[in-house]
């Protein structure tokens, strides 16, 4: 399936690790494609990522998130060792992306461009998930992960990062 994302070069290492974790989850669930639900749970593979921190601030935990999507426990969503992408040296999914995942990643790209970013990070993937009006977004909303809540958490994270930069006056 053509995704329009080429070699995923705009994706940060953490975002690539999310894709690799989503692939592992899809494979463990014995499904033919990576769905947006796999991306949602895969975000927890990068606990230091903006998305995982936003999810935690919104009260989302791994077990309930997996259960909400009917995904098996026990599939590791562990981050790769520092400096190494998960899933081998490319971290590009070998299980194809399904229509929902493609829509989410297109939404992530739109979010990144809207924010003036030249990269796609975990936060953009989360924005892509909640901006879609699909079953995954509805499931997330049922867990308290609303579009408004995610946007607020990400704005706050960016403000905190900006304030911590040298010369910010903080």
């Amino acid at each position: 399936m053509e995704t329009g994302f080429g070699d995923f070069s705009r994706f940060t290492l953490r975002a690539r690790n999310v894709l690799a974790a989503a692939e592992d989850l899809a494979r463990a669930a014995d499904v033919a494609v990576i769905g947006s639900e796999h991306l949602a749970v895969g975000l927890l593979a990068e606990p230091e990522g903006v998305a995982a921190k936003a999810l935690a601030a919104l009260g989302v935990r791994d077990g309930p998130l997996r259960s909400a999507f009917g995904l098996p426990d026990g599939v590791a969503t562990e981050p790769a060792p520092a400096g190494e992408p998960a899933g081998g040296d490319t971290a590009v999914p070998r299980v194809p992306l399904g229509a929902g995942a493609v829509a989410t990643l297109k939404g992530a790209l739109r979010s990144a461009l809207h924010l003036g970013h030249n990269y796609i990070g975990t936060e953009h993937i989360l924005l892509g998930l909640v901006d879609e009006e699909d079953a995954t977004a509805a499931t997330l909303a049922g867990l308290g992960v609303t579009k408004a809540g995610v946007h607020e958490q990400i704005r706050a994270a960016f403000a905190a990062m900006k304030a911590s930069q040298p010369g910010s006056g903080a």
Side-chain angles (χ1 to χ4, degrees):
M1 166 182 279
E2 174 57 41
T3 64
F5 288 93
D7 63 2
F8 291 81
S9 62
R10 284 187 180 217
F11 286 68
T12 63
L13 179 60
R14 285 186 174 141
R16 291 177 195 200
N17 287 341
V18 167
L19 291 172
E23 178 185 25
D24 290 345
L25 288 160
R27 190 175 286 117
D30 199 28
V31 295
V33 297
I34 296 169
S36 55
E37 68 277 15
H38 303 114
L39 292 172
V41 176
L43 288 170
L44 299 180
E46 283 297 328
E48 293 303 312
V50 173
K53 289 181 178 183
L55 289 170
L58 293 168
V60 174
R61 302 293 175 258
D62 183 63
L65 185 61
R66 286 173 190 260
S67 292
F69 290 115
L71 294 175
D73 284 331
V75 177
T77 52
E78 298 292 322
E84 294 180 30
D89 54 328
T90 63
V92 176
R94 292 167 298 277
V95 174
L97 295 167
V102 169
T104 294
L105 296 179
K106 285 181 179 180
L109 175 60
R110 280 191 304 275
S111 293
L113 293 173
H114 177 76
L115 291 168
H117 298 160
N118 64 355
Y119 64 91
I120 297 172
T122 65
E123 62 276 16
H124 303 114
I125 295 171
L126 180 55
L127 288 167
L129 285 164
V130 297
D131 285 346
E132 288 299 309
E133 294 182 6
D134 64 1
T136 300
T139 299
L140 289 170
L143 294 171
V145 182
T146 63
K147 187 183 296 192
V150 167
H151 282 270
E152 179 55 35
Q153 289 298 322
I154 290 173
R155 269 194 297 276
F158 285 145
M161 285 185 255
K162 185 176 181 178
S164 70
Q165 292 175 345
S168 68

